[in-house]
Amino acid sequence: MSERMGFFTDTSVCIGCKACEVACKEWNDVPDDGFVFRATSYDNTGALGASTWRHVAFIENGDGWLMSSDVCKHCTDAACLDVCPTGALFRTEFDTVVVQSDVCNGCGYCVPACPYGVIDRREGDGRAWKCTMCYDRLRGGLEPACAKACPTDSIQFGPLDELRERAAARVAGLHAAGRTEARLYGEDPADGVGGDGAFFLLMAEPETYGLPPDPVVTTRDLPAMWRWAAAAALSMVGVTVLATAGRRR
Amino acid sequence: MARERAMVPKAEFGSYYGQPIIKAPIWHEPHMPLYLYLGGLSGACGLAAAVEELRAGPGGPPATVARLAAAAAAAAGAGFLVAELGRPERFLNMLRVFKPTSPMSVGSWVLAAHGGATALAAGSAVTGLLPAAGRLAALASGLTGPVMSTYTAVLVADTAVPAWHEARRELPFLFAGSALAGAGAVGIVSGLARPETAVPGRRMAALGAAVETVASTVMERRLGTLADPYRQDGMMRAGRLLTAAGGVLAALAGLPAGPRGGSRRGQGIVPAGRGPAGGWPGSAGRASAGGPVRAARAAVAAARSGYAGARTASRPGLRELAGVAAAAALTAGAVCTRFGVLRAGRASAADPAYIVGPQRERLAARRAAEAARTPGDGGRTAGDGGRTAGDGDRPAGGSG
Ligand code: SF4
Ligand code: SF4
């Protein structure tokens, strides 16, 4: 229907205000995720999870700060969606990935399938939750709550093609200004997940922010995996025939 | 390749406060490992029942205990599966759709078909009703059974968990061997009543244990340090020991062609017309668990007199004791292995080094390959490189 929408999170201008985390909780009515002092700089949220759909990472690295607002990547080839046995996870008309909470039966398969560790099952609720890219707001013609609230435009929302152009220009500008550590993450449609619908400009290696350097959608190997399973199944038949051989007839 | 990997120091790569990158599997104990065990057992028993039906021919005696064990294990396994869900009341949502991209969806349908077939086959054997339909169902469980026992390996391998995804070649064989060994244990125990029928059970047990042992050895070698979570897990180690010991015992129990070891015509892998009481590995485990030999002999004799009914209970020979010990060890080993696989998966997901290290190597290799190519086709071939990076033939590449 409409063109593919996405997030471009430019971490070089993130100020760590967590307005995105708050806006997300408010709009989506996400329950609290515990109040703990984690001693990980200003990050008391920890990681993305069932009740954390935007997560601001803080790294104090000697000469300064690294801050980054993480989110579901809305992968082109989404493992969570591939493995979901109920069809609860689906792809919307905006090419985003959303869980239908009335269909999810809490099987938990999507949780270890996501190569970014995004989606999780909520204790007590029994269902899987993650960022919807504010599906309801999108349908109403509004931008997602986090992007709306972000005071520095670190979180940018728009048609993915447009965002990719903007990001390429931004990284070129930073390189020209001598910030050669700037790099794009998840913008490449040729990467292991077919490119992210939510991609990033990072100022350090991805793993510094807790992101996998080269994520892969494991369903790519599904045909090979079924072939190995078929070989094992056939060997079971062979063993059983052998085991019962030579006793009668 | 394993050697190269072993030299990569874990601390070389950064991480975000050492936090995990992916989410560990949230599946619970004992639900998930017991489902893996019971599903595997049911599959192998269903297969055994079908092979026995084929050998017996139409009108032959049904392989009653194999049918019963297959049905009971499938039903119990399904119970654990439903209990594992966050929303058990929505279990049937699994059967709203068929999604070939989801091993769990495929598995739900396999379980439904296998559970139905084994239930029908067992019901027919017990009641004597609809023998033709029962036989057909037992034969069908020979098709669903091997899939039932191995699909769970695809299920866990199709995740971002490095110890699971990278072991996608060997895990099906590990599960297949474990399932055969578990079913062999059922055959051995039910064969106490008629020693000659324990022969296929012992063979399945010994061969299954061999398959499982070879699969886990090959896997650990091929995966290098990515297999550390398996090596470091106590359940996994216990499973390997028990399986190996059980396999050897099962083979030993079958070695000398004693007076009762001849091949008598008639019953299937397990005695026909016997109740399920003969088939339960648990009772064997209790009977033989570490007690003095005399107590064990007495227990086996009691069990035999129980199963054999009119037959005179005699002191069991060493071979039978070895068989019971083998059955107990193999059952315990199969259960331990499934717990070990889950725990190793959790440990593998929890340590970012298992993800960052292999992925950085993969990335570096791809970039080097890109740089070596002509600039013209760089973009497209980079994509192909990405697509093949996780292919089944690439060893120990680190998963997403
Ligand atoms: S980041 Fe994870 S949860 Fe989000 S779409 Fe991709 S696989 Fe699914
Ligand atoms: S937990 Fe829910 S959303 Fe996730 S795979 Fe299972 S049914 Fe689908």
Side-chain angles (χ1 to χ4, degrees), chain A residues 80 83-89 99-100 103-111 119 121 126-128, chain B residues 104:
Chain A
C80 62
V83 304
C84 174
T86 62
L89 275 153
V99 195
Q100 303 169 80
V103 180
C104 171
N105 69 7
C107 75
Y109 199 6
C110 51
V111 175
I119 194 165
R121 191 160 76 182
R127 291 172 294 179
Chain B
M104 194 181 282

Side-chain angles (χ1 to χ4, degrees), chain B residues 193-209:
Chain B
R194 294 160 189 252
E196 70 276 12
T197 63
V199 170
R202 283 200 297 263
R203 289 188 190 159
M204 270 177 94
L207 289 171

Side-chain angles (χ1 to χ4, degrees), chain A residues 38-41 43 46-49 55-60 77 80-89 101-109 111-121 123 125-127 189-192 194 205 207-222 224-226 228-237 239-249, chain B residues 13-17 19 21-28 43-44 47-48 51-52 55-57 84-88 90-91 93-94 96-97 99-106 146-147 149-151 154-161 165 168-169 172-173 176 179-180 196-197 199-200 203-204 207-208 211 263-269 355-356 359-360 362-363 366 379 382-383 386-387 390-392 399-400:
Chain A
R38 304 171 53 91
T40 49
S41 187
D43 178 5
L48 291 174
H55 164 240
V56 182
F58 291 78
I59 300 117
E60 297 176 43
D77 301 323
C80 62
L81 192 156
D82 283 346
V83 304
C84 174
T86 62
L89 275 153
S101 51
D102 53 337
V103 180
C104 171
N105 69 7
C107 75
Y109 199 6
V111 175
C114 169
Y116 298 96
V118 169
I119 194 165
D120 204 356
R121 191 160 76 182
E123 283 314 311
D125 173 282
R127 291 172 294 179
D191 71 13
E205 296 289 352
E207 57 268 26
T208 308
Y209 300 90
L211 295 165
D214 186 32
V216 162
V217 56
T218 48
T219 29
R220 265 183 193 179
D221 300 322
L222 205 50
M225 289 190 271
W226 280 119
W228 286 103
L234 279 179
S235 65
M236 278 184 76
V237 175
V239 166
T240 308
V241 168
L242 257 179
T244 51
R247 289 184 311 121
R248 65 185 80 92
R249 265 154 238 236
Chain B
F13 308 113
S15 75
Y16 187 66
Y17 302 106
Q19 287 183 187
I21 286 183
I22 60 167
K23 295 268 185 286
I26 52 175
W27 295 315
H28 297 120
L47 171 62
V51 172
E52 289 293 339
R55 287 197 189 276
E84 170 60 58
L85 299 176
R87 284 290 176 107
R90 294 187 190 171
F91 167 70
N93 280 3
M94 298 262 199
R96 282 168 81 240
V97 285
K99 271 179 77 175
T101 60
S102 169
M104 194 181 282
S105 172
V106 174
V147 187
S149 297
T150 51
Y151 95 82
V154 180
L155 179 98
V156 300
D158 190 17
T159 62
V161 177
H165 185 64
R168 56 191 175 271
R169 290 188 195 178
F173 288 93
L180 287 166
E196 70 276 12
T197 63
V199 170
R203 289 188 190 159
M204 270 177 94
L207 289 171
V211 169
S263 62
R264 263 170 52 158
R265 282 179 164 265
Q267 288 69 32
I269 181 171
I355 290 171
V356 175
Q359 288 193 9
R360 287 201 57 152
R362 188 164 71 198
L363 206 56
R366 202 160 66 227
R387 296 222 161 236
D391 188 70
S399 64

